[in-house]
Amino acid sequence: MAQPQASLPAVDFGSAEGHDNKNFWALALGSVGVVFGDIGTSPLYAFKEAITAASHHGTVAEATLGVLSLIFWSMTLVVTIKYVLLLLHADNKGEGGMFALMALGQTVARRSAPLLGALGIAGASFFYGDAVITPAISVLSAVEGLRLIAPQLEVAIIPAALVVLTGLFWMQSHGTARVARFFGPVMALWFAVLALGGLMHIADNLSVLLALNPLYGIEFVYSNGVLGLTVMGLVFLACTGAEALYADLGHFGRRPITVSWLYFVMPALILNYFGQGALVMNDANAIENPFYRLYPQYALVPMLILSTFATVIACQAVITGAFSLTRQAIQLGLIPRFEIRHTSESVAGQIYIPRVNWILFIFVVMVIFAFRTSSNLAAAYGVSVTAAMVIDTLMAFFVIWKCWRWPLWRVALVVIPLLMIEQAFFSANLLKLFEGGWVPLVIAAMLAIIMFSWVKGTRLLAKLTKRNEADLDWLVRKLEAKPPHRVPGTAVFLTGDPYAAPTSMMHNLKHNRVMHERNILLSIRTVETPRVARHERITIERVSDHFIRIVARYGFMETPSVPKILEHARRKDCNIDIGATSFFLSRRSLRKTPKSELPRWQERLFIVLAASAEDATTYFQIPTDRVVEVGTQVAI
């Protein structure tokens, strides 16, 4: 068989390809509202923080050209080349994101699967750190415009930010379907206003266009030592949110995202940054808040309102991303089950996870009170973003090499320069470690410990459980040789291994000495693809006249539902009346043991996590009046 050519994979453009122009532009507008919210609000604080630090040495003009050059080329190399032109091609059946990239890499690089799994956990952990800081810095930077309207309003900045964020997190339980339709038009207006603000001031000092030369940025970093690295870390704030281009690939498709970025979003951002630069070169006092000073005094209140709306939309995208990532982590077995509520009957991706929502809210409030200003938060922001981007690049290496079949030298030619750039930004952000950079690192470390402990604990629990389970084929032969008393109806036993007799079945047989006329072993498995086609959802195997084995497959972006599985089974001539069916579940009570394979602290953590997991009846949507729980004790 001929080897595939070393080129970009032949993948489709996602949702937009093959549709009419009207649908394409609707998707493009939707991507502007959702995908670019985070990176689109960076002009509120990115240039201000970078130029404030850079202007401590040398002239403002030199500092401005250096900062703008770094911003322009960072966006070009990291956002445009890496994410738009490279990673948007690395789709996992049309889906993108951290776990989609991890799963894709694991399917083609089996030997490196554990490493990719560890990278996926680390990347997801850093994303949650980003999800805590993004709402805080975005909303704070927007409402800080109050002090320009009236200096005495400065005391209202934190209360105003808390009111906005409280309303945002409160509305999550009601779903965002109704307001989401306004995200695209609002953000389109936002980017148009960004471009207009920049255009109004670039003519103030046309020498600002010299910053398009990368040598200004390189010379600034080289000649300023530690200060140059510090400014690099702050410059990277202009690229925060770039991961969303890849994460939202499945929602909008590659072409709408690419066109929106190249022809609308990026030009608007560049114009705004260069407008701020020209303003500062013309008036050094504008460094205090160059973004709001782009606009005339009479426009400050409307800009404050529009900025607040834009930052709320950016925060909404991050929160929704946290919900989506959490569901994927649950499906992949990285964290315990959490309650997942669907807030839309028509859109499968509209979900709400109460526990994640309120934990995020508590952390965001704590961060606001701890740092109090967007300038203080800027130091903490870049660490989590750059770390996640480095991890993306490392996982992309395996996909490009093994999936796209590029020669190793060619992969290195593309990946190593990107990795060096991102590692330089990550190192630059680490200089702010003791000024707030430790916050996302602590959050990421906590979550990584939880995920690794859960994975290790569930594997140990599965091994211990398997010791007490009998082979199903052996049990069927024994029951045929010596039939037990049979009662009418159907019993469904949920099990992780459909080839072993589950603990709940063995206990029912041992203590009640009866079996149902029809017994179904139902196993729900998560596969390494985002979604599973309906015709591939379930497989049914008749083990004997009284036993049926059903294996249901779900993608890591889907939520399992037992009633829907039984409906699929009915279409395959396995008629199951859910109202006349008993569902047997094993409820394990974990207890400590001196001989545990886990360290004592990890053993205790796993027991706490297992106790906090969502009840299987609720998670799998099983009718509560049809469930029989069989309790067992397991010493881990």
Side-chain angles (χ1 to χ4, degrees), residues 169-189:
F169 281 94
W170 174 81
M171 69 176 281
Q172 298 305 313
S173 61
H174 300 281
T176 58
R178 292 181 181 177
V179 296
R181 70 187 67 174
F182 300 108
F183 286 3
V186 170
M187 291 307 295
L189 174 62

Side-chain angles (χ1 to χ4, degrees), residues 174-476:
H174 300 281
T176 58
R178 292 181 181 177
V179 296
R181 70 187 67 174
F182 300 108
F183 286 3
V186 170
M187 291 307 295
L189 174 62
W190 169 254
F191 285 113
V193 171
L194 289 184
L196 179 62
L199 281 171
M200 288 192 302
H201 288 277
I202 286 179
D204 293 350
N205 196 325
L206 288 175
S207 63
V208 75
L209 297 177
L210 293 171
L212 294 173
N213 185 343
L215 293 178
Y216 281 95
I218 295 170
E219 183 181 355
F220 179 85
V221 174
Y222 180 77
S223 61
N224 285 280
V226 175
L227 175 66
L229 286 175
T230 302
V231 172
M232 273 188 70
L234 294 170
V235 159
F236 204 77
L237 294 173
C239 297
T240 57
E243 325 89 82
L245 277 74
Y246 180 49
D248 287 311
L249 173 61
H251 294 112
F252 300 101
R254 189 176 78 223
R255 191 161 160 254
I257 293 174
T258 302
V259 169
S260 297
W261 171 255
L262 292 177
Y263 299 106
F264 182 51
V265 176
M266 184 178 179
L269 292 173
I270 295 300
L271 284 172
N272 190 270
Y273 284 123
F274 275 63
Q276 291 187 49
L279 177 67
V280 167
M281 290 174 73
N282 214 39
D283 178 11
N285 293 324
I287 287 180
E288 178 194 357
N289 201 321
F291 175 81
Y292 279 110
R293 291 191 180 274
L294 287 176
Y295 304 93
Q297 187 70 28
Y298 63 82
L300 284 180
V301 173
M303 278 306 301
L304 179 64
I305 295 171
L306 182 58
S307 299
T308 303
F309 275 116
T311 53
V312 165
I313 292 171
C315 297
Q316 178 61 56
V318 171
I319 295 169
T320 302
F323 292 160
S324 178
L325 196 72
T326 301
R327 177 169 68 174
Q328 294 174 35
I330 292 170
Q331 284 294 87
L332 291 168
L334 301 178
I335 56 175
R337 293 187 300 264
F338 291 166
E339 178 189 1
I340 298 176
R341 299 180 194 170
H342 291 266
T343 57
S344 172
E345 294 181 1
S346 57
V347 183
Q350 289 280 343
I351 60 172
Y352 168 64
I353 305 179
R355 200 179 306 184
V356 173
N357 186 66
W358 295 114
I359 289 175
L360 273 180
F361 175 69
I362 291 169
F363 272 96
V364 169
V365 171
M366 289 171 60
V367 161
I368 284 180
F369 278 116
F371 290 89
R372 305 192 72 82
T373 69
S374 61
S375 297
N376 294 337
L377 267 170
Y381 199 15
V383 175
S384 57
V385 178
T386 50
M389 286 186 175
V390 168
I391 291 169
D392 272 345
T393 305
L394 289 172
M395 291 196 292
F397 168 82
F398 291 94
V399 173
I400 297 170
W401 179 28
K402 294 291 187 179
C403 186
W404 298 359
R405 304 290 181 87
W406 283 21
L408 193 56
W409 67 266
R410 190 177 176 189
V411 182
L413 197 64
V414 172
V415 172
I416 290 178
L418 288 173
L419 200 56
M420 291 175 64
I421 292 168
E422 289 173 344
Q423 285 185 325
F425 279 116
F426 179 64
S427 301
N429 277 284
L430 284 180
L431 293 175
K432 295 283 187 177
L433 185 65
F434 298 106
E435 298 176 35
W438 59 272
V439 173
L441 291 179
V442 169
I443 294 173
M446 288 168 54
L447 289 165
I449 289 170
I450 287 173
M451 290 188 196
F452 280 116
S453 298
W454 181 255
V455 170
K456 192 173 180 181
T458 49
R459 287 177 181 170
L460 176 59
L461 183 59
K463 185 173 75 172
L464 295 173
T465 302
K466 195 163 187 175
R467 292 177 185 173
N468 300 321
E469 291 180 342
D471 179 75
L472 180 63
D473 293 333
W474 172 85
L475 179 64
V476 169

Side-chain angles (χ1 to χ4, degrees), residues 460 464 590-600 603-604 607 634-636:
L460 176 59
L464 295 173
L590 306 183
R591 55 187 178 85
K592 294 178 286 187
T593 174
K595 299 180 180 179
S596 175
E597 295 181 23
L598 299 174
R600 183 56 57 91
E603 179 188 33
R604 291 175 178 172
I607 291 173
V634 181
I636 63 166

